[in-house]
Amino acid sequence: MFLALAEELHFGRAAERLRISQPPLTKHIQQLEAELGVMLFDRNKRSVRLTASGSALVQEARRIIGQADMAREVVRRAEEGQTGTLRIGFVAALLYIGMEKLIARLERNLAGVETVWEEMGSSEQIEALRHDRIDLGLAQISPGASGAGEMSIHPIAHTPLVAALPERHPLAQRKRIDPADLAGEPFIVIPRESAPAYFDLIVATCLRSGFSPNVRHYARHLLSVSSLVALGRGVSLVPRTPERSQLPGVVLKPLAGEPAQAEYSVVWQTANRSPVVERALGVLGVG
């Protein structure tokens, strides 16, 4: 009301602009002057003028209104998920199976949102989600996975398993590898507590071929698995990766028959209705 009168300098026009009658406007100005202990307007029957105190209050009132408008805009953007922080856990395998485009799309379409990425195993992501240390997980996990009952899981990618062999291995010249030919070979795997789905997939593939894998070495990351293969410490079954991602000294060979598929999913707390999470899920195509 004060600013309307300060701009119109006429009680009738200010009241009309505010869509109120003149008496409530007059009463409001009188109460404001009494509260501040100063006269804000010089007024008589013919004119209304701002006092020095009134002019000073105009500047302050406009500043406060501008800040209030800015605060409303900040709140609106946060409500729409246009600002904030998104904490993302991811398995290293995603960097080696051609998922760069998906990650780049996520970054590009979350302009205004700060993304924080942290590499962690699939089971670690479930625990991090459960304890609110991350908002989204990109994990090797399938819908209905045990121990993830309160999580929502949506598949976003899958890739076949291939045999990873040292380049001087006797089987390295074959076009395809029958998993049964790896019986008795020392296997390098990621521990089950870090990547249960990946570990179980390797074991199931071997069992279907009539043998139990001779697990001799453990590594916590896919790159470490490949590094040990390159050093000749054993063989492994790994997700197929682009050729440019292969380490020197490692040969990747398709498996004979219908190979098992490693499935990767976006995982989040079902109860998490954060606007930033909702926006990220939309970018990932999760309805």
Side-chain angles (χ1 to χ4, degrees), residues 7-28:
E7 291 168 357
E8 296 293 341
L9 293 178
H10 189 283
F11 276 89
R13 289 195 301 268
E16 184 178 353
R17 174 174 157 182
L18 294 169
R19 297 184 179 179
I20 60 174
S21 61
Q22 187 170 327
L25 174 60
T26 301
K27 184 176 181 180
H28 173 80

Side-chain angles (χ1 to χ4, degrees), residues 124-168:
E124 292 175 300
Q125 290 184 40
I126 297 299
E127 284 304 302
L129 285 165
R130 190 169 285 133
H131 293 94
D132 193 33
R133 294 196 299 270
I134 61 173
D135 304 299
L136 283 183
L138 299 175
Q140 187 183 348
I141 190 171
S142 300
S146 61
E150 72 272 40
M151 305 296 166
S152 292
I153 302 172
H154 185 88
I156 55 174
H158 56 83
T159 188
L161 288 185
V162 296
L165 309 170
E167 62 181 357
R168 297 185 182 277

Side-chain angles (χ1 to χ4, degrees), residues 253-275:
K253 294 292 182 177
L255 297 178
E258 186 67 29
Q261 300 280 329
E263 188 168 55
Y264 298 89
S265 301
V266 57
V267 191
W268 70 99
Q269 276 272 17
T270 303
N272 186 350
R273 309 309 297 177
S274 160

Side-chain angles (χ1 to χ4, degrees), residues 30-228:
Q30 290 171 343
Q31 289 175 337
L32 182 59
E33 289 176 327
E35 182 178 342
L36 296 175
V38 297
M39 294 296 295
L40 299 173
F41 297 94
D42 283 329
R43 52 219 189 244
N44 53 45
K45 292 183 178 180
R46 292 178 296 180
S47 66
V48 176
R49 292 184 303 155
L50 282 165
T51 64
S53 298
S55 296
L57 184 58
V58 167
Q59 300 303 317
E60 187 64 17
R62 285 173 176 164
R63 184 185 65 81
I64 292 171
I65 289 174
Q67 289 179 334
D69 290 342
M70 185 180 298
R72 280 193 291 269
E73 177 64 13
V74 168
V75 170
R76 182 192 66 79
R77 287 174 59 81
E79 180 65 22
E80 295 176 358
Q82 297 181 36
T83 61
T85 301
L86 182 68
R87 302 161 298 171
I88 306 170
F90 69 98
V91 291
L94 285 173
L95 304 178
Y96 300 97
I97 63 171
M99 294 293 289
E100 299 95 332
K101 290 183 178 179
L102 180 144
I103 293 172
R105 186 172 80 236
L106 192 62
E107 289 280 355
R108 186 173 58 252
N109 288 278
L110 289 180
V113 174
E114 179 186 6
T115 54
V116 179
W117 296 79
E118 182 176 353
E119 181 186 349
M120 54 179 66
S122 297
S123 58
E124 292 175 300
Q125 290 184 40
I126 297 299
E127 284 304 302
L129 285 165
R130 190 169 285 133
H131 293 94
D132 193 33
R133 294 196 299 270
I134 61 173
D135 304 299
L136 283 183
L138 299 175
Q140 187 183 348
I141 190 171
S142 300
S146 61
E150 72 272 40
M151 305 296 166
S152 292
I153 302 172
H154 185 88
I156 55 174
H158 56 83
T159 188
L161 288 185
V162 296
L165 309 170
E167 62 181 357
R168 297 185 182 277
H169 194 281
L171 299 176
Q173 300 305 314
R174 294 189 182 181
K175 289 186 176 180
R176 291 183 177 273
I177 302 296
D178 187 332
D181 292 334
L182 301 177
E185 294 279 352
F187 265 74
I188 304 162
V189 300
I190 296 176
R192 191 179 190 282
E193 58 266 25
S194 296
Y198 175 56
F199 184 93
D200 291 348
L201 192 61
I202 290 178
V203 172
T205 299
C206 294
L207 290 176
R208 281 198 302 270
S209 297
F211 73 99
S212 181
N214 174 26
V215 177
R216 294 278 297 278
H217 309 289
Y218 294 91
R220 290 185 59 81
H221 303 285
L222 188 62
L223 181 60
S224 301
V225 169
S226 297
S227 296
L228 287 174

